[in-house]
Amino acid sequence: MRYLALLALAALLASCGAGEKQTQALPILGNHKIDGADTTYHQIPDFAFVDQDSMLVTNATFEGKAYVADFFFTSCPTICPKVKKQMLRLYDKYKDDDRLMLLSYSIDPKRDTVGRLKVFAENLGVSSGKWRFVTGDKDKTYELAEDYLSIAREDPEAPGGFDHSGWLLLVDDKRHIRSFCDGTNPEKVDQFIKDIDWLLEHM
Amino acid sequence: MKRQILSLLLLLSLLAYACGGGQKPAEGGNFTEEQIKAQDEAFGRMMTVHDEVMPKLDDMNRVGRQLKPYLDSLDDKTVMEEINLALQKLETSEDGMMEWMMASPKIGQLRDSLGHEAIIGLLQAEEEKIARVRDDMLSSLQGAESLLARIRENPKAE
């Protein structure tokens, strides 16, 4: 009788939702091209930027991996520090999981030189292999940001535009955007982590 | 001997307490709650101006990218000069914002080094500075958008 009670208690605790997993499949987000029965899903376009170690970073850098992207600049006084705190949560959680990387694009290449990004990364205490901070042509960066955030057009809760609101975007191993969240909100990032876990499990 | 040591320890503890070692200093060093509130409000006013105009960086970049192709396609030198001037103003005003942010005061650091009146004075000065940055950004954006609209309406310029 005692063991039955313990078993029931264990089952109850397990069903309480603690560590509840994401069970629904993540959609592929973005503006897809539909031609009759064929759908061409949105993909992150080609890009080439330089990271904090002066290494070239392109889509090929993330081949076979998923990554979380954000747009920032090192002198950002309010939003970016909050986002970086959440990105550090992701870094700590997945630092030993090679299936996921982090990618932060600077939108201020004039001031965010490779050297400045290197210092920034070192101050965060993160490894370049896991978290790339990149800088490049400003116009190309903004074009890329608009593309990442073009998911706004279909989803009313998605980013309304590139307004430095601290969005985090999850990209899969096929360059599709699968999830996004407000990177300044820890609770939203909690859900985002579940999305990451689902994606890594189903890649 | 033991009694003397205990007395000495008690005296040292009392001294430490009297010097403030027995309690945490109020947030912001030696400021009163009212002063902290006034400083937070002054900081908030400064950042409100910043937050109002920060999203415009995206619009500024977009209109700049829309203007740039006309530098290659237009024959009219006067309009090309106007485009270059508009792009320069966009860049200068963006630089103004980025540089202000880089140098902008952090409330914690201010409290570590300045008195209340100095903090309020500095934050008010910074609010005026960021207001000028805002005006430059909005002016450069409006100018560029007007120019773009004019170019698009005037096919003869191409």
Side-chain angles (χ1 to χ4, degrees):
Chain A
M1 187 66 186
R2 194 192 302 172
Y3 294 118
L4 274 175
L6 283 172
L7 213 58
L9 182 63
L12 183 65
L13 283 172
S15 69
C16 275
E20 209 176 304
K21 284 172 118 182
Q22 167 69 22
T23 52
Q24 274 190 318
L26 294 178
I28 298 176
L29 301 171
N31 296 304
H32 313 312
K33 287 182 187 157
I34 299 172
D35 182 11
D38 294 327
T39 301
T40 305
Y41 291 103
H42 170 271
Q43 282 184 306
I44 299 300
D46 291 335
F47 65 89
F49 293 97
V50 175
D51 76 4
Q52 66 266 41
D53 291 330
S54 303
M55 303 294 287
L56 192 66
V57 175
T58 67
N59 275 313
T61 308
F62 306 96
E63 198 170 318
K65 299 177 195 283
Y67 65 90
V68 173
D70 78 317
F71 292 84
F72 86 114
F73 50 101
T74 61
S75 58
C76 172
T78 50
I79 289 169
C80 301
K82 291 180 188 174
V83 175
K84 284 296 161 267
K85 192 173 171 183
Q86 297 305 312
M87 285 282 269
L88 274 169
R89 283 180 63 195
L90 303 182
Y91 178 85
D92 287 337
K93 182 172 165 60
Y94 298 103
K95 63 181 170 199
D96 296 324
D97 190 333
D98 288 341
R99 296 171 298 171
L100 184 80
M101 291 178 69
L102 306 180
L103 173 60
S104 292
Y105 296 88
S106 169
I107 59 158
D108 184 21
K110 190 183 269 192
R111 280 151 284 266
D112 286 344
T113 59
V114 166
R116 194 175 173 90
L117 292 178
K118 183 70 176 171
V119 169
F120 188 80
E122 284 175 347
N123 287 343
L124 286 177
V126 300
S127 150
S128 305
K130 187 72 182 177
W131 191 348
R132 308 293 186 106
F133 296 86
V134 297
T135 185
D137 179 83
K138 188 174 71 173
D139 285 353
K140 287 196 171 15
T141 308
Y142 271 83
E143 280 172 12
L144 196 60
E146 283 180 357
D147 187 272
Y148 269 100
L149 294 163
S150 64
I151 55 179
R153 287 176 208 163
E154 306 236 337
D155 187 327
E157 287 189 18
F162 177 40
D163 62 355
H164 318 284
S165 298
W167 294 99
L168 301 182
L169 300 116
L170 177 62
V171 181
D172 70 11
D173 56 336
K174 294 175 181 56
R175 294 158 50 185
H176 300 311
I177 301 173
R178 304 304 294 273
S179 180
F180 61 88
C181 78
D182 175 358
T184 67
N185 186 324
E187 286 174 3
K188 299 286 185 188
V189 175
D190 289 345
Q191 176 58 45
F192 190 66
I193 287 174
K194 290 178 185 172
D195 292 349
I196 294 173
D197 288 340
W198 182 93
L199 181 64
L200 295 180
E201 203 177 317
H202 292 84
M203 258 171 37
Chain B
M1 181 65 178
K2 212 186 257 185
R3 203 182 291 173
Q4 283 168 334
I5 291 169
L6 280 172
S7 300
L8 184 60
L9 283 172
L10 182 63
L11 181 63
L12 285 171
S13 303
L14 283 169
L15 274 171
Y17 183 88
C19 293
Q23 62 189 29
K24 274 174 108 174
E27 186 186 356
N30 294 324
F31 303 112
T32 64
E33 274 186 31
E34 280 164 3
Q35 287 175 331
I36 296 279
K37 187 177 171 206
Q39 291 163 18
D40 286 344
E41 284 171 358
F43 188 86
R45 282 193 299 273
M46 177 190 75
M47 289 311 295
T48 296
V49 178
H50 160 272
D51 292 347
E52 173 199 334
V53 76
M54 189 62 195
K56 298 294 181 187
L57 285 180
D58 179 31
D59 296 329
M60 288 164 62
N61 181 269
R62 186 181 305 116
V63 75
R65 278 185 282 127
Q66 289 168 334
L67 278 172
K68 282 176 187 173
Y70 289 105
L71 287 172
D72 293 327
S73 64
L74 289 177
D75 282 334
D76 188 332
K77 282 191 179 169
T78 305
V79 176
M80 286 168 72
E81 279 173 13
E82 284 185 81
I83 294 174
N84 278 321
L85 184 61
L87 292 174
Q88 192 184 337
K89 284 182 178 175
L90 287 170
E91 183 161 354
T92 302
S93 61
E94 181 185 320
D95 283 344
M97 171 57 92
M98 291 300 190
E99 282 159 19
W100 181 85
M101 283 191 290
M102 201 179 286
S104 65
K106 311 290 180 284
I107 193 70
Q109 289 171 355
L110 293 180
R111 285 171 176 154
D112 285 343
S113 55
L114 296 176
H116 174 67
E117 293 303 324
I119 290 174
I120 296 296
L122 189 147
L123 290 173
Q124 284 173 345
E126 288 299 321
E127 185 184 342
E128 287 166 17
K129 266 193 213 172
I130 187 62
R132 287 194 291 272
V133 168
R134 175 200 58 200
D135 294 344
D136 286 344
M137 285 174 66
L138 293 177
S139 166
S140 70
L141 178 60
Q142 189 180 26
E145 285 175 335
S146 296
L147 176 59
L148 182 65
R150 184 157 49 91
I151 291 171
R152 284 174 168 172
E153 281 168 15
N154 185 7
K156 285 182 186 174
E158 295 189 56

